[in-house]
Amino acid sequence: MLDVEGIRNDFPILARQVHGKPLVYLDSAATSQKPRQVLETLREYYEEYNSNVHRGIHALAEKATERYEAARERVARFIGAAGPQNIIFTRNTTEAINLVAYAWARPRLHEGDEILLTPMEHHSNLIPWQLVARSTGARLRYVQLTPDGRIDWTSFLALLGPKTRLVAVTHVSNVLGTINPVREMVAAAHRVGALVLVDGAQSVPHMPVDVRELDCDFLAFSGHKMLAPTGIGVLYGKEEVLEEMEPFLGGGEMIGEVTLESATWRELPWKFEAGTPNIAGAIALAAACDYLDALGREEVYRHGLELAEYALRRLQEIDGVTLYGPGPGVARGALVAFTMKGIHPHDISTILDQDGIAIRAGHHCAQPLHRWLNVPATARASFYIYNTCGDIDSLVQSLYRAREYFEYVLR
Ligand code: 7TS
């Protein structure tokens, strides 16, 4: 069991009020809040050893370089990667996926090749592949979903074949909460010679993720959804795959020898890190890894699942509420998407905000999924280590208030 009260004390923002009410933050799938330990790491970097990495031969530059590279090793350990050579720092999940689309897919795919996706992908794991398809002639294929929003295994196996070059799939859906059977998907994809990219934006922050166990070829995730600052993300790649790839961006840091006509590349992972990186962000991400590992990743997952199950149960009690994704009793991510009959999700969110409750409403950057669900938008409550069942009780109470308000207005 997590000591949620103790955890809450580490998050200064949770003490604030919104519209005169205590903040109830239920939007961690968009971005998580940050604990003192992470904020302190940022402050320490900027106040004590702010300097560029890999360049200066002075005390501050050496300390910054040492801490930046130690952060890479920390992140490698966090996801079970063989070593720092597998870890490329990016801005976020989106940039990590685009790196693979530009540096791996574009030079390799041709007409007749296929990329296998699911309709539940976030736009950041969809648009890069649409662009690849447009420029290479490769074809995008989509796995069918079961009515409760899981991958239809028969459809997946039927679509997988010798033409499949890449499977790009989210580990956990940011709308449905579905946890996809990534390990099994990787094994099946490898049997036909396809590579697999896992979008870990909603899984890495919330559950144990081990890339060697999954055997995925790429894993992308964002620091800001796992207690770290915005502007730092990670691309994990298998060494032999990264070795074969040409750089994504060119510039300082990523080169060996440069002449006016040509250049050689630095070894992994620096080949993919052109320009001054987000040094403070990477070091703070390592502090976030420390924080989550100290709590226990299995415990973090169990806490999120408990909150999601409690939310499903409580929301089901409200007349006119429709829930999306797998029902209670099925393993799922720490979020719940829903609609209320007669009230637009944006109006729900606005009324909740008046009560200090932050949720997200809209298509959550998953328009094709909402088309599949046959709703233009959903409301989504998402949870993390600092949330309690009491937060969900506040949500439910506020939803009753929203319904009363709308019944009154509509009468
Ligand atoms: N993939 C998934 C599954 C996501 O949930 C998100 C962000 C991304 C990729 C993109 O992450 P970024 O850090 O590169 O922007 N999801 C959300 C969300 O659900 N609400 O706000 C952002």
Side-chain angles (χ1 to χ4, degrees):
M1 284 262 287
L2 295 184
D3 167 21
V4 179
E5 276 319 302
I7 290 170
R8 289 180 66 84
N9 287 333
D10 287 334
F11 290 76
I13 204 169
L14 297 179
R16 69 159 285 175
Q17 300 213 325
V18 171
H19 303 306
K21 310 270 175 56
L23 168 66
V24 176
Y25 188 74
L26 299 177
D27 197 18
S28 293
T31 198
S32 76
Q33 298 302 345
K34 323 299 175 197
R36 272 181 224 289
Q37 290 81 342
V38 167
L39 301 175
E40 181 59 24
T41 303
L42 284 175
R43 191 204 58 75
E44 188 195 8
Y45 168 76
Y46 282 116
E47 289 188 1
E48 295 178 25
Y49 61 100
N50 171 53
S51 188
N52 212 326
V53 289
H54 302 142
R55 298 173 196 211
I57 307 174
H58 55 77
L60 300 192
E62 276 167 17
K63 173 140 191 204
T65 304
E66 181 215 309
R67 292 287 302 271
Y68 179 69
E69 291 304 329
R72 196 190 303 279
E73 289 186 25
R74 183 68 188 86
V75 169
R77 237 182 327 121
F78 192 73
I79 57 167
Q85 68 280 8
N86 301 107
I87 304 298
I88 298 155
F89 286 124
T90 63
R91 274 191 304 144
N92 47 35
T93 305
T94 304
E95 189 180 81
I97 295 172
N98 275 278
L99 194 164
V100 177
Y102 278 84
W104 182 83
R106 284 194 183 220
R108 282 170 183 74
L109 301 198
H110 305 284
E111 216 168 310
D113 289 334
E114 294 182 355
I115 300 172
L116 191 46
L117 302 164
T118 83
M120 69 172 86
E121 299 311 314
H122 186 280
H123 294 163
S124 73
N125 197 29
L126 180 61
I127 310 300
W129 309 120
Q130 291 183 354
L131 291 169
V132 166
R134 211 180 279 180
S135 68
T136 65
R139 181 177 174 203
L140 305 184
R141 309 289 312 264
Y142 289 93
V143 174
Q144 288 196 355
L145 302 181
T146 62
D148 66 345
R150 285 177 295 138
I151 285 173
D152 181 317
W153 194 250
T154 311
S155 155
F156 175 66
L157 290 183
L159 287 168
L160 205 56
K163 290 182 181 170
T164 317
R165 299 289 307 278
L166 179 75
V167 175
V169 62
T170 191
H171 198 170
V172 173
S173 161
N174 68 321
V175 177
L176 303 166
T178 314
I179 302 177
N180 288 318
V182 165
R183 186 152 50 132
E184 291 75 8
M185 294 176 82
V186 171
H190 284 173
R191 281 197 289 276
V192 300
L195 299 195
V196 180
L197 177 143
V198 176
D199 174 351
Q202 299 293 350
S203 62
V204 174
H206 293 274
M207 59 183 68
V209 174
D210 185 308
V211 287
R212 276 186 291 186
E213 193 187 311
L214 295 178
D215 198 29
C216 56
D217 301 281
F218 299 108
L219 173 76
F221 58 99
S222 297
H224 72 92
K225 294 184 199 287
M226 52 176 285
L227 312 178
T230 50
I232 186 75
V234 173
L235 174 69
Y236 157 86
K238 277 190 180 162
E239 196 169 343
E240 61 272 25
V241 183
L242 294 177
E243 283 290 2
E244 280 177 11
M245 289 159 55
E246 288 284 296
F248 171 40
L249 301 173
E253 296 282 332
M254 47 75 74
I255 42 78
E257 186 82 30
V258 182
T259 66
L260 287 178
E261 286 77 31
S262 66
T264 58
W265 315 137
R266 257 181 104 181
E267 66 272 35
L268 288 176
W270 303 289
K271 179 170 85 174
F272 292 107
E273 290 184 9
T276 301
N278 183 350
I279 305 162
I283 296 168
L285 174 60
C289 292
D290 288 344
Y291 193 94
L292 289 168
D293 272 339
L295 295 180
R297 310 270 285 286
E298 196 59 54
E299 290 297 322
V300 169
Y301 168 67
R302 217 168 305 148
H303 180 71
L305 178 61
E306 265 171 38
L307 291 175
E309 296 239 312
Y310 183 69
L312 287 175
R313 260 209 328 276
R314 291 295 326 269
L315 290 168
Q316 247 163 12
E317 293 165 6
I318 306 173
D319 275 348
V321 163
T322 304
L323 295 160
Y324 300 94
V330 180
R332 59 148 56 228
L335 58 92
V336 176
F338 61 96
T339 49
M340 271 177 106
K341 201 169 169 211
I343 315 181
H344 193 280
H346 286 151
D347 294 330
I348 296 177
S349 184
T350 304
I351 293 174
L352 262 51
D353 181 53
Q354 292 306 308
D355 290 339
I357 302 170
I359 63 159
R360 189 172 170 192
H363 53 63
H364 315 294
C365 301
Q367 285 185 21
L369 178 65
H370 280 78
R371 215 160 282 129
W372 180 81
L373 291 170
N374 209 17
V375 287
T378 53
R380 179 189 69 187
S382 57
F383 317 112
Y384 210 12
I385 50 177
Y386 34 70
N387 291 120
T388 62
C389 287
D391 291 341
I392 293 164
D393 293 336
S394 303
L395 167 73
V396 169
Q397 198 178 3
S398 199
L399 288 173
Y400 276 117
R401 205 173 72 79
R403 208 184 50 184
E404 270 168 30
Y405 174 79
F406 267 80
E407 277 171 359
Y408 175 77
V409 168
L410 295 176
R411 219 178 304 139

